[in-house]
Amino acid sequence: MSRLTIRQRQVVWAYIFLLVPMTFFILIRIIPTLSAFNISLHDWNPLAAEQTFVGLENYRQLWEDLLNPRSVTHKAFVNTFKYVLIGMPIQLVTALAIALLLNEITRMSTLFRAIFFIPFVTSTVAIAWVWRWLYQPQYGFFNVMLSFFGLPQQPFLKSPNQALYSITAVVVWQGLGFAIIIFLAGLKQVPETFYEAAKIDGANRWQSFWRITLPLLNTTLVYLAVLQTISFLRMFDYVINMTTQGDGGPLASTTTVTLRVYREAFSSFDMGYASALTVALFGIILVITIVQLKFLSRDY
Amino acid sequence: MTVLEQDREITEVKAASSSGGFLESQKRQDKLLKLLAYFLLILGGLTMVIPFIWMISTSLKPASEIYQGNFFPNAATLNNYRTVLLETPFLRWYLNSFIVATISTVSVVFFDSLIGFVFAKYHFPLKNVMFLLILSTLMIPTEMLLIPWFIMSVNPPVGPAWVNSYWGIAFPGIITAAGAFLMRQFMTGVPDELLDAGRIDGVSEFGLFWRIAMPLTLPAMSALAIFNFLGNWNAYIWPLIVTSDKAMMTLPVGLSFFSNENGADWHLIMTGATLSVVPLMIVFIIFQRQIIRGIALTGVKG
Amino acid sequence: MHSFSKKMFVVVSLFLLGGLLVACGGTQEAAAPEVVEVTRVVEAEPEVVEVTRIVEGESVVEQVEVTREVEVVVPADSEVTTIEYWQYFFDPRVDAMNRLIQQFEAENPDVRVIHNSDVPYADYRDKIAASAPAGVGPDVATLFYGWVPAWVDAGYLIPLPQDEFPPEMIAEQFSPMVQNSQFEGEYWALPTAVRTLALFWNKDLFAEAGLDPESPPTNLDELAEMAQALTQYDDAGNIVVEGFPVGVPGQAHHWFREVLVRQFGGQPYSDDNRTVMYNSPEGCEAFKYMLAFETEYNTGSNDLFEDATQAFLQGKSALHIDGSFRVGTIAKSAPDLNYGVVELPIGNDVQSTFGSYWTHGITRKAAEDPAVLDASIRFLKFITTPEAGTTWVNKVGELPAQLEAAANEDLLADPILGPFAAGLPYAHATFFVDESAQRQFIVDAYDSVRLAGADPCEALDEAAALEQELLDEFWANHN
C-alpha cells in the first residue's frame, strides 16, 4: 500500500468499502431482476419441472390485453393511472394547505404536527383493515354518521363507482403527515425578508403565495410529486387488504398493476405473463425517474 | 385549497374597507385568519384521530356488539385482548418483527452511509456506472423477486437454509438503494478539508468515515433508521413466503391469520391492529422532535 | 443528548418488557404438558380423561384428550424416512390431521411425517408456488379438487400408482364426485373427506318472523317467500336482519352452476367439460332467480355484515347456503347459534347439490426418492381409509369420502350432518381448470347486474365467453 499514491490508495479503499454492498446488489437485486426478464420470455409455471421458451409471446398477449378495454389488465393500468392522477395532486394540495395553516399558528403547532404525522408511523396492513371496517356498508363509522344525520348510507368499497376513491382517500390520509413535514421544511427555507419586501410593495397574502412561496417550493413539490407518483404506481397493500378476498373488485374497479402481477404469478401460476407486466411497470417507472432527474437538476 | 380561498376573501374584504386604519384592519385580519386556521386544523386533526379511536373502541367491544352501530362499547371488555395475546403467538410475532426490523435497520444505516460516503467523497473508475446500477434497483417491483429470493434462501450461497430464520426474513433489505442515495446527498455536505485534515493526522480511511463523516450526518441517519424500521415493520409478502413456522412469523403475517375462510372477526382484527399500532405511536411520541427533524431534512436535501 | 439517551432507555426497557412477556408465555406453554397426569389408559381411539391442573394457584379439573402412548421399537436413524405433508391453517383440519399422523407413525415406525399447516388460507398457493422451483415443499400436499388439472399440467403431481390404488377400487369405494380427480385416464389425488352444500337456517329468526322454526323452505318458491318474510328493515329502509343474502363469491356461485341451472332445465357444461352451457335461456332464468333476492326482493346482500357467512354466524341472516365444513366454524365461533340444516331446496322436481373436496396428491418431489415415495404412498393410503374419514368427520364436519363410512346410519340420522350426507348421491362437482378465475367470472357477471345495471342474460353471456376462452386454452393442450 505504501508504494501507492494517496489517490491510488483512495481508489483501493473505495473498492474495498463497496465490496460488500456491490456483491449484495448484484446477488440480491440485479441477478434476480435479470431472471425476471428471462422468465418473461417463457411460459413459466412455478409448479412445472421445465419451462417452455415462448419468445415475445407474453408481450404480445400483454399488448393485446392493453388494447382490449374489457380485459382486467387494461383495467389495472387505467386504475393505476387513476390512483396517480387523483391521489397525488390531492395529497400534495391538502398537505401544502395544512402546512401553510401550521405555519400561521404559534400555539399547539407541535401537537398538530404530531397528530397529522401519526398515521404515517403505523402499519399499513392494520390501517387498511381499520378503514375497511370504517367503510363497512351499514355499521361502519361513516355510515353510522350518515344515518345519524339522516343522510342515505353509501356502499363505499362495495361500489364500482366509489371504491377507487375510497381507497385513494386512505392512502392520502396515511401519507399526509410525511408530505406536511417536507413542506414545512421547505417553507422554513423561504427567507422572511422576501415576504416583508412583498408587503412593502403592496402585495397581499394571496399574491405573495403565488409569487414567492410557490416558486421557492418548486424543488420540494417536484420531489414529493415524484415520490408519491412512484408509490401510487406500485400500489398493492391497500388494495389486497381492502377488497373482498383481495380481488381488486368490485368489477376490477380497484385492481392495480402490481396486484395483477401477484395474482397472475401466484393464483394463476402464469409467471411469464406476470414478469412481462413487471417489465412494463419497470419501463413506466424508469421514464418517470428520468424526468425526475431532469427536473431536479434544474435550478430555480 | 380552502385556506387559499378564504385568504382571497379576506383580501377582498380588506380591499373593500376604507384606507383608514390600514394597520388595524391588518391586525383584525390576522386574528381572523388565525381563528380560521385553528378551526380547520382541529377539523383535520379529528379526521386523523377518529379512525384510531374507532379501532380501539371496536377492540373493546364484545363480538355481539360489532353489528350494532354504537360508537363506544356498551359493555367494554378486555376479552379480545386476552384472546389475541393468549390464543395466538402474538407476543412472539411482536418480538420477531422487532428483531428483524432492528437487524436490518442497523445494517442499513451502516452500509447505506458507507455507500453514500464513498460515492460522495471518492473518485474512482466506473463510479458512475456503479451508482447507476445501484439506483436502477429502485425501480424493480419486488413482487417479481420473490421466487428468485426464495430459491436462494433454500439453497443459500453460504451456510444452512435461510428459510424460517431472522436472517432469511431480513436479508433482502439489509442494504437499500434509496438509503444509499439519500446518504450520498448528505455526505456531500461533509467538508473535504475536514477529511484531508484527518488524513494528515494519520486517520485511516475507515476512521474518516466512522469518526468524522458519520457523526456529522447523524440526523440524516436517524431519519433513514426510522424509515427503514417502519418499512420492515410493515413488510408482508416476503416474510410470509420465507417463514413456514408460526413461531418465526412477523406481525403483519400473523395479523392475516385473523381473517380466513370464515370471513373476518372484526373485534379480533381491531385488537390485533391496536396492539401492532400503539407501540409505534408511543415510540413516535417519545422521539417526536428527532423523528420530525430527521424527516424534514430528507426533504430539503433529497 | 442527555434527554435523548433517557428516552432511548425508556424505549429499550419497553421492548425488553415485551421480550420478557414472550419468554413467560413460552414457559407456560412448555410447562403445560408436564402437569398433565393421565389417570387411566385404555387402548384404541383417543379418549377423554379428567386431569387436575394447577392454574394460578387454583386446582382446575379439565377434560383433556389423550392419545394412547404406543411403545414402538424406534429404528436407527438411517432407516427412518421423513416425509412432508402440507395443508392450510384451519384449526379443526390441523387437529384431525395431527391425530391421523400420530396413528400413522405408531403403525409405521420407520416413517416420520412433518406436518406443515402454518400457512394462512389465502396464501396457501403462494407458498406452494415458491417452494416448487426451490426443490422443497410437500411430498404429500392437500389441494382443492379443482386445482388438480392445473397441477397435473404443470407436472407437479404424479399419477397414483395403479397397483397401489386400483382405479376400480376407487370407483367402487369412493364417493362418485371423486371421479373428478381422474384426469387423462389416471387418478392423481384422493380425499379423506368430501363436502356438499345444504341450507342453514336460524331458528330464532324464524320464530321472530312468526314462521315455524322447524319448517325450513324445501323448494325454490318457499325459499323466495320465506326470505322476504324473514327480512327486517329499520325506519330508513336499511336491512337489519337479512332474510337470505346470496354470497356469490362464497358458495352461491356453485349453487348457481350445479344446482339452479339444472333445476331450471339447463346444464352448466357439456358432458365432456369442454363447452360452457350455463348461458342458455334456462341458465339465464336460473341466474335471474338468484339475482332477484338482492335486486327485487331486497332480502340481503353479500356486502352487508362483511359477507353472507359472517352474517349467518352473527345471527344477522336467517337463511344461508354453505358447506358442511361451516359446522365446525359455527361450533367454534358461534356456539350459541340456534340453527338447523336441511337439504337444498328442490326446484321443478330436480334435486341437486354441489360437491367438492380438498384432496391429497403425491408430488414430483416425493417421486425423486424411492423410500420417500414408498412412505408417501403408505401415508396417502392411511389417510384415505374409511376410519380416517370417520376421524375427520368428527373433527372437521366434512363427510367421509369412502362410501362405506359415509353411509353410516348414525351420520345420516345426525340432524346437522345428515342433510349433507343425504346430498352425496346427487351431488355434482364442477370440472375446474382455474377455479379462482372461473369463480371470478360468475362474481363479475352478478356484480355487473346488481351494481352496474347490466342485462342479466348479456352479463351471463360475457362470463360464458370468458370462461370458454379459458377452457379452450386449456383443452388445446390436451387431446
Side-chain angles (χ1 to χ4, degrees), chain B:
Chain B
M1 207 61 163
T2 24
V3 70
L4 302 182
E5 280 160 11
Q6 289 297 343
D7 233 343
R8 190 198 331 238
E9 231 168 75
I10 287 161
T11 350
E12 278 159 7
V13 168
K14 189 197 118 188
S17 69
S18 67
S19 58
F22 172 79
L23 266 178
E24 208 169 286
S25 88
Q26 180 84 17
K27 253 187 197 160
R28 219 185 53 213
Q29 181 198 332
D30 277 3
K31 221 175 184 179
L32 248 162
L33 197 67
K34 234 173 213 168
L35 225 67
L36 188 76
Y38 276 109
F39 175 74
L40 290 173
L41 283 172
I42 287 171
L43 217 65
L46 281 177
T47 317
M48 292 293 126
V49 171
I50 282 176
F52 292 113
I53 299 177
W54 181 248
M55 168 187 85
I56 293 167
S57 133
T58 306
S59 76
L60 296 172
K61 288 179 183 175
S64 58
E65 276 187 45
I66 295 302
Y67 293 110
Q68 285 184 354
N70 44 332
F71 193 95
F72 292 108
N74 292 327
T77 168
L78 287 174
N79 271 339
N80 299 330
Y81 287 87
R82 196 168 305 144
T83 308
V84 169
L85 290 175
L86 296 183
E87 287 179 20
T88 70
F90 203 87
L91 293 172
R92 175 74 203 215
W93 294 337
Y94 227 106
L95 183 74
N96 293 344
S97 278
F98 180 68
I99 290 174
V100 170
T102 308
I103 293 177
S104 81
T105 302
V106 168
S107 158
V108 158
V109 168
F110 176 78
F111 280 112
D112 286 6
S113 305
L114 187 61
I115 298 170
F117 178 67
V118 172
F119 281 106
K121 293 294 163 198
Y122 289 82
H123 302 281
F124 50 93
L126 294 180
K127 178 173 160 179
N128 287 335
V129 176
M130 285 164 105
F131 195 61
L132 272 178
L133 202 68
I134 291 177
L135 274 189
S136 71
T137 65
L138 265 177
M139 297 162 227
I140 306 156
T142 42
E143 284 76 15
M144 233 27 249
L145 305 180
L146 296 175
I147 299 249
W149 284 346
F150 190 75
I151 296 172
M152 182 183 286
S153 311
V154 172
N155 313 299
V158 276
W162 296 348
V163 288
N164 278 326
S165 69
Y166 290 130
W167 168 249
I169 304 172
F171 84 86
I174 54 160
I175 304 177
T176 67
F181 181 71
L182 184 77
M183 289 313 295
R184 192 197 71 143
Q185 302 294 92
F186 282 96
M187 289 292 182
T188 318
V190 174
D192 286 329
E193 300 77 33
L194 228 58
L195 299 178
D196 288 338
R199 287 200 179 96
I200 290 162
D201 288 349
V203 180
S204 71
E205 295 294 320
F206 184 76
L208 295 177
F209 164 68
W210 189 252
R211 297 222 300 269
I212 299 173
M214 266 184 68
L216 283 174
T217 50
L218 210 56
M221 273 182 231
S222 64
L224 178 62
I226 293 152
F227 278 125
N228 198 68
F229 193 91
L230 284 174
N232 279 284
W233 189 264
N234 279 334
Y236 176 69
I237 299 186
W238 174 244
L240 171 87
I241 299 282
V242 80
T243 57
S244 56
D245 181 353
K246 250 189 176 173
M248 284 309 296
M249 287 174 182
T250 56
L251 215 46
V253 183
L255 271 182
S256 68
F257 276 95
F258 291 112
S259 73
N260 50 29
E261 238 189 332
N262 317 320
D265 293 328
W266 283 115
H267 51 296
L268 296 183
I269 292 177
M270 290 303 112
T271 308
T274 307
L275 284 170
S276 67
V277 155
V278 165
L280 286 181
M281 284 189 188
I282 295 174
V283 173
F284 167 69
I285 289 165
I286 296 172
F287 288 115
Q288 217 220 100
R289 241 166 245 284
Q290 288 87 344
I291 291 174
I292 285 183
R293 195 184 305 146
I295 285 166
L297 269 177
T298 65
V300 177
K301 280 280 181 177

Side-chain angles (χ1 to χ4, degrees), chain C residues 42-53:
Chain C
V42 188
E43 54 178 36
E45 278 290 284
E47 47 172 333
V48 175
V49 279
E50 288 198 343
V51 170
T52 309
R53 288 212 302 173

Side-chain angles (χ1 to χ4, degrees), chain C residues 73-237:
Chain C
V73 185
V74 180
D77 262 4
S78 58
E79 292 171 43
V80 175
T81 308
T82 303
I83 61 169
E84 223 173 298
Y85 171 79
W86 280 29
Q87 66 169 339
Y88 62 91
F89 179 80
F90 184 56
D91 255 337
R93 301 180 71 94
V94 176
D95 286 355
M97 190 46 78
N98 279 336
R99 175 68 41 78
L100 291 176
I101 288 174
Q102 214 166 20
Q103 292 168 357
F104 173 77
E105 286 182 341
E107 283 179 25
N108 298 271
D110 59 330
V111 180
R112 210 171 75 76
V113 182
I114 297 173
H115 180 194
N116 177 13
S117 59
D118 286 345
V119 185
Y121 173 67
D123 306 307
Y124 182 64
R125 277 185 292 179
D126 309 5
K127 298 279 293 193
I128 296 272
S131 71
V136 293
D139 298 301
V140 179
T142 197
L143 70 154
F144 190 62
Y145 85 95
W147 303 346
V148 169
W151 289 30
V152 169
D153 258 7
Y156 189 65
L157 297 179
I158 60 156
L160 302 182
Q162 300 209 349
D163 48 336
E164 300 283 352
F165 301 92
E168 317 81 59
M169 180 276 287
I170 297 174
E172 195 180 305
Q173 295 181 2
F174 280 81
S175 191
M177 66 173 95
V178 176
Q179 298 291 334
N180 254 316
S181 289
Q182 198 177 19
F183 178 61
E184 297 195 316
E186 303 263 16
Y187 278 99
W188 302 85
L190 269 188
T192 306
V194 296
R195 337 75 88 94
T196 57
L197 297 183
L199 183 67
F200 290 64
W201 88 95
N202 183 318
K203 295 182 178 176
D204 292 343
L205 293 176
F206 265 63
E208 263 179 49
L211 297 175
D212 177 5
E214 298 305 328
S215 320
T218 55
N219 60 49
L220 292 182
D221 294 333
E222 281 179 21
L223 177 66
E225 277 164 36
M226 288 189 181
Q228 293 170 69
L230 286 159
T231 312
Q232 299 174 26
Y233 308 90
D234 66 10
D235 298 339

Side-chain angles (χ1 to χ4, degrees), chain C residues 408-459:
Chain C
N408 180 308
E409 290 198 0
D410 291 342
L411 181 62
L412 284 166
D414 187 291
I416 297 292
L417 290 174
F420 294 107
L424 281 174
Y426 56 80
H428 294 277
T430 311
F431 181 87
F432 285 115
V433 301
D434 182 346
E435 190 257 341
S436 39
Q438 286 172 282
R439 172 183 52 201
Q440 196 65 45
F441 296 144
I442 303 287
V443 171
D444 284 351
Y446 185 82
D447 283 352
S448 64
V449 176
R450 73 183 180 116
L451 298 175
D455 175 74
C457 297
E458 282 171 20

Side-chain angles (χ1 to χ4, degrees), chain A residues 43-51 61 64 70 72 75 129 132-133 136-139 147 151 153 155 158-161 240 244-245 247 249-252 262-263 265-271, chain C residues 122-123 125-130 132-133 150-151 153-156 234 238-240 249-250 302-306 316 364 434 436-437 439-440 443-445 447-452 462 469 473:
Chain A
D43 180 9
W44 212 92
N45 183 326
L47 296 187
E50 282 168 19
Q51 315 296 353
Q61 181 68 45
E64 199 176 281
R70 301 186 82 91
V72 184
K75 289 177 187 161
W129 280 94
R132 187 170 166 179
W133 176 225
Q136 205 273 344
Q138 223 172 335
Y139 296 93
S147 335
L151 296 165
Q153 298 197 324
K158 306 294 184 183
S159 149
N161 303 322
I240 198 172
T244 311
Q245 300 183 356
D247 65 355
L251 294 172
Y262 183 68
R263 287 281 169 236
F266 291 107
S267 297
S268 300
F269 294 145
D270 195 347
M271 285 268 165
Chain C
D123 306 307
R125 277 185 292 179
D126 309 5
K127 298 279 293 193
I128 296 272
W151 289 30
D153 258 7
Y156 189 65
D234 66 10
N238 297 315
I239 295 177
V240 184
N302 194 52
D303 291 347
L304 301 176
F305 308 105
E306 193 54 26
K316 297 287 183 182
R364 186 174 68 223
D434 182 346
S436 39
R439 172 183 52 201
Q440 196 65 45
V443 171
D444 284 351
D447 283 352
S448 64
V449 176
R450 73 183 180 116
L451 298 175
E462 166 92 16
E469 206 176 298
E473 199 179 308

Side-chain angles (χ1 to χ4, degrees), chain A residues 180-190 216-217 220, chain B residues 296 299-300:
Chain A
I180 291 173
I181 302 295
I182 303 289
F183 273 129
L184 280 175
L187 286 172
K188 279 228 171 66
Q189 306 277 308
V190 182
L216 284 172
L217 276 182
T220 314
Chain B
V300 177

